[in-house]
Amino acid sequence: MSEEVFKKVVSHCKEYGFVFTSSEIYDNGLGAVYDYGQNGVELKNNLRQYWWKFMVQMHDNIVGLDAAIFMHPKTWKASGHIDGFSDPMIDNKDSKKRYRADNLLEDKIAKYQKDGKTNKADELQNALDAALLANDLAQLKTLIEQHEIACPISGTRNWTDVRQFNLMFSTEMGAMAEDADKIYLRPETAQGIFVNFLNVQKSGRMKIPFGIAQTGKAFRNEIIARQFIMRMREFEQMEMQFFVRPGTQKQWFEYWKEARLKWHLALGFDKANYRYHDHVKLAHYADAAVDIEFDFPFGFKEVEGIHSRTDFDLKSHQDLSGKKMQYFDADLDENGKPYGNYIPYVIETSIGLDRLFLYTLCASYNEEEVGEGDKKDTRVVLALPPILAPYKVAIFPLTKKDGLPEVARKIIDDLKFDYNCFYEEKDAIGKRYRRQDALGTPFCITVDHESIENQTVTIRHRDSMLQERIPIAEIKSILDKAISWKDILSK
Ligand code: ATP
């Protein structure tokens, strides 16, 4: 899929009410913040439900949580975000544009590779890795200068020094400015799970291994936000922390690595779109990490991370709060003694809902040639898995009169408790079908004069465009058969 098609997906999102730029009426909107429209919110809800059902409903040892976005500021001290959650940035003095120093160098490496200068590319990659590992900001600037990297806007090499830029948004809590505490908008949902670990474990009588799952907004002041909803400043994460006995983390890491890819594949898109990317350089808290990447039109990019986080987070919270974060394990070890008290190790699975949404649209978007001769045409169709489609069925009276709308409304009244239905009576039927194709609606039902005579309707299938005559009484069972969570969750 090319950049060209990606542009079409982005405009499709706006034209069909999937995604809008936030507060666009003002100066073309707020940078890297987006709103989900009437169809986007349905697709997003369905994707979130798919994740939740798989994680919580399908695992009797995983429970949910909905922690607040605001947390005590010490949380972020313990997690390492206050001291370490930053990116190296550099400004061009002429264009006044800000860049991530490592991204400028990565772009240069890609350029060397494209031009066949593999030695130079490798050499720069090694130097970049070493500078990042040593957190050597001066060296990053030296590399930018040595490799004669210019600002893409001004074309000059008039750079500031490289500085660390913390990605957390902050605000103040409390009525009086002088007493107010600085607090942060959470940059990840995981910490809400860690601080509630014992609340959930005790109140739910959870036995290790067990997991806590949560979905919710996270905020990062990304220096460069690009590629539409790929990198946003306000986004949604779906995270699950799985608490295990120390020493078993490798085995659980492998388990979740495989289980999570399987979950992606059950969506039914081409397997070749996915790959693992093992981390060589690990974050300070991790002893193993892998990303699941998807082949976006702009290349393979991370969608989900699976991290073996050791006992880093629980231990830091225990140290800073002075509150025990231990679990008592009554199971017996190989010597017949209880494992006793310990701080559990954690495997985390963390997926960005917006990136999942974006790849679902990219993978579903098709332009197809239809018809023959004079009637040749292209149709845009979203080949969404039916269970994820914003509307499951659209009901059209052929005309606005002769009692047809009433029959159509009655069909909707029967279906609407189970399915999101779309009603439309304007325009030619062909045009109405096309609009539903563009939303990914798997079925359209047309009510015509024959429907009044013999209680039958035409059902039209999105992908094959086949139409068949069926009794009204059978609509519900046809939908039930074609649209079910079980299909996707049992794959
Ligand atoms: P990246 O390297 O792309 O910045 P990350 O490694 O910082 O991502 P994590 O902290 O592991 O990401 O967050 C888990 C998931 O949250 C990511 O896999 C991604 O899907 C999502 N995510 C992270 N940052 C953003 C963002 N700015 N916009 C949208 N989704 C994001």
Side-chain angles (χ1 to χ4, degrees), residues 183-196:
I183 58 164
Y184 298 93
L185 273 69
R186 65 180 177 201
E188 62 176 26
T189 57
Q191 299 304 323
I193 296 180
F194 291 126
V195 298
N196 278 298

Side-chain angles (χ1 to χ4, degrees), residues 144-268:
I144 287 172
E145 284 170 345
Q146 276 175 352
H147 291 267
E148 302 184 345
I149 296 173
C151 166
I153 309 277
S154 67
T156 70
R157 289 189 249 140
N158 192 8
W159 296 109
T160 61
D161 284 342
V162 177
R163 280 170 293 161
Q164 286 291 8
F165 178 81
N166 195 296
L167 300 184
M168 278 199 295
F169 283 98
S170 64
T171 185
E172 275 149 33
M173 187 177 247
M176 314 287 264
E178 53 276 22
D179 300 334
D181 276 324
K182 184 172 178 181
I183 58 164
Y184 298 93
L185 273 69
R186 65 180 177 201
E188 62 176 26
T189 57
Q191 299 304 323
I193 296 180
F194 291 126
V195 298
N196 278 298
F197 154 69
L198 278 182
N199 286 337
V200 173
Q201 189 272 318
K202 292 209 164 103
S203 59
R205 295 152 38 98
M206 306 301 293
K207 266 191 74 182
I208 267 181
F210 74 92
I212 304 177
Q214 157 158 255
T215 71
K217 286 289 178 85
F219 304 84
R220 296 182 186 178
N221 199 0
E222 301 279 2
I223 299 170
I224 31 159
R226 54 182 177 189
Q227 287 148 347
F228 194 42
I229 56 173
M230 186 72 198
R231 187 172 298 285
M232 302 197 285
R233 299 201 165 100
E234 173 179 339
F235 60 100
E236 188 162 340
Q237 288 187 316
M238 307 195 287
E239 296 196 300
M240 192 277 300
Q241 312 292 326
F242 198 70
F243 300 92
V244 305
R245 196 174 282 152
T248 64
Q249 70 270 24
K250 280 270 167 349
Q251 145 204 344
W252 284 112
F253 175 76
E254 291 304 325
Y255 172 86
W256 283 110
K257 180 176 167 179
E258 198 185 311
R260 291 305 304 149
L261 182 61
K262 227 173 127 194
W263 178 91
H264 285 274
L265 294 177
L267 287 168

Side-chain angles (χ1 to χ4, degrees), residues 281-316:
K281 255 188 0 223
L282 294 171
H284 57 285
Y285 53 74
D287 75 354
V290 64
D291 294 336
I292 294 174
E293 296 185 337
F294 185 83
D295 193 6
F296 287 93
F298 36 84
F300 273 99
K301 293 277 181 261
E302 170 182 346
V303 173
E304 172 156 6
I306 296 122
H307 310 123
S308 175
R309 291 180 79 122
T310 68
D311 59 355
F312 173 83
D313 301 89
L314 291 178
K315 198 161 174 305
S316 307

